[in-house]
Amino acid sequence: MYTILGAGGIIANELAKELVKNGKQVRLVSRSPQTIAGITDLVAADITDAAQTRKAVAGATVVFLTAGLKYDHKLWATAWPRIMTNVIEACKAEGAKLIFFDNVYSYGLVNGPMTETTPYNPISKKGKIRAAIATQLMEEVKAGRITATIARAADFYGPGADKTGFLNLLIIDKFKKKSSAMWLGKDNVTHSYTFTPDAGKGLYLLSQDDASWNQIWHLPTTNPAPDGKGYMEMIARQMGVKPKYMKLNGLLIAISGLFDPTIRELREMLYQSNYPYIFDSSKFEKHFQVKPTSYEEGVKLTLQNE
């Protein structure tokens, strides 16, 4: 039994499809789960509640924590520690293995490529929260109380990622509407993006490999990546439009944030867009002998499914 906590998000959906494709029994858990890929085992649960989490994990062999919360550091500060504690305790009680799908906020500003051994040095409120829960999980692993893995991705894009993928939201959707695209921060620094089907397949591969447990992995992501200008030109060329765009700098975000709380929350993460953001997944690529989808091909597949 493979249980996905936080079902319904784009990564959870890609993972669910990959599990079903490989003949696995899958349970989808969220506040309002919807069937995907023919999965009928749906459990409605709030994983900030310990009892509901325990019930959701019952019978699971492997649990994937892919939950996404509203982009609000105050909510994260209260909800994420509860979620991590609840999931750890439920997995321990059930004897289930855990894979936590994480981002790179805990690393902070990194001079050079981000790897699995990059130390945690968060410079944002959200990054400090992510570092704390990742540390909590790996301390349980080191103590031998749980079998678990942290799988990280860069910012992501892909088919259907039009609620959370910047390339989808700020470029593809804008070009489709014949309007100018937008780029967050500086457009002359490289920025890695993980293709969502690669992330889903990567999570599946980790769950099938006994040698992969109790460590951190970066999910397959093409490196080197283009800069903002490169993404604009690539996507515009494939869509047959002119690469017209505007840059969203700190001042514009600050002004927009007065009216939009989600944009306001982006401001502390702007360092990710103003300095090179290089995500290294060579450990995964070598171990599993896989090659990430190229950006040209990833954009092509994304556009085919829009």
Side-chain angles (χ1 to χ4, degrees):
M1 165 71 76
Y2 293 78
T3 296
I4 302 175
L5 302 177
I10 184 64
I11 301 299
N13 287 348
E14 293 291 352
L15 169 61
K17 288 186 279 190
E18 196 67 31
L19 287 164
V20 169
K21 188 172 80 178
N22 286 279
K24 305 302 181 185
Q25 185 184 356
V26 186
R27 173 184 295 156
L28 303 179
V29 180
S30 71
R31 289 175 186 263
S32 304
Q34 306 289 321
T35 187
I36 183 169
I39 299 165
T40 56
D41 188 351
L42 310 178
V43 174
D46 174 0
I47 58 174
T48 64
D49 178 275
Q52 291 185 49
T53 306
R54 179 76 179 84
K55 189 177 176 184
V57 169
T61 310
V62 177
V63 172
F64 297 92
L65 177 54
T66 64
L69 300 180
K70 184 182 174 186
Y71 210 61
D72 178 342
H73 73 273
K74 290 178 181 174
L75 172 65
W76 281 30
T78 57
W80 266 120
R82 282 210 308 270
I83 289 171
M84 184 55 75
T85 298
N86 292 344
V87 173
I88 287 172
E89 293 306 315
C91 288
K92 280 157 66 171
E94 202 61 36
K97 297 175 180 176
L98 173 62
I99 297 180
F100 172 40
F101 176 70
D102 196 11
N103 58 32
V104 299
Y105 291 7
S106 56
Y107 296 145
L109 178 58
V110 180
N111 183 16
M114 293 176 268
T115 71
E116 290 85 350
T117 58
T118 297
Y120 297 162
N121 185 30
I123 60 171
S124 66
K125 292 168 184 171
K126 289 185 282 291
K128 287 172 183 170
I129 295 160
R130 299 300 287 221
I133 60 173
T135 300
Q136 177 187 358
L137 177 56
M138 294 316 284
E139 282 178 352
E140 292 283 334
V141 166
K142 287 171 191 167
R145 291 189 287 264
I146 191 171
T147 298
T149 287
I150 296 177
R152 292 197 169 105
D155 289 338
F156 47 78
Y157 76 104
D162 41 14
K163 290 181 182 173
T164 46
F166 281 140
L167 296 187
N168 294 69
L169 281 165
L170 300 183
I171 306 179
I172 293 171
D173 288 358
K174 298 292 183 185
F175 283 162
K176 271 168 63 181
K177 292 168 184 169
K178 310 294 184 197
S179 60
S180 291
M182 291 185 278
W183 185 258
L184 199 59
K186 295 181 179 177
D187 64 351
N188 62 347
V189 294
T190 187
H191 195 107
S192 300
Y193 277 90
T194 302
F195 187 52
T196 49
D198 286 353
K201 186 174 183 181
L203 288 169
Y204 169 73
L205 289 173
L206 287 171
S207 74
Q208 301 303 300
D209 186 340
D210 287 340
S212 74
W213 292 102
N214 299 332
Q215 53 191 299
I216 295 168
W217 294 89
H218 281 183
L219 294 166
T221 302
T222 294
N223 194 23
D227 58 14
K229 191 166 182 277
Y231 283 114
M232 288 292 169
E233 291 173 348
M234 180 196 308
I235 294 169
R237 184 175 65 252
Q238 291 204 29
M239 293 183 75
V241 300
K242 290 182 179 176
K244 292 195 305 178
Y245 66 100
M246 62 178 287
K247 288 185 279 185
L248 293 172
N249 58 27
L251 179 61
L252 278 175
I253 288 171
I255 294 167
S256 302
L258 295 172
F259 310 100
D260 187 323
T262 302
I263 293 176
R264 188 159 62 241
E265 289 283 342
L266 275 175
R267 196 176 178 193
E268 70 165 0
M269 307 309 302
L270 199 56
Y271 71 89
Q272 293 190 313
S273 303
N274 284 335
Y275 296 91
Y277 176 109
I278 305 165
F279 186 83
D280 185 323
S281 62
S282 54
K283 173 186 171 182
F284 191 105
E285 293 168 49
K286 286 172 187 167
H287 181 82
F288 288 99
Q289 294 293 294
V290 299
K291 192 175 179 188
T293 304
S294 71
Y295 291 107
E296 285 278 357
E297 180 68 12
V299 167
K300 179 183 171 186
L301 292 168
T302 302
L303 292 173
Q304 284 175 1
N305 286 273
E306 284 290 318

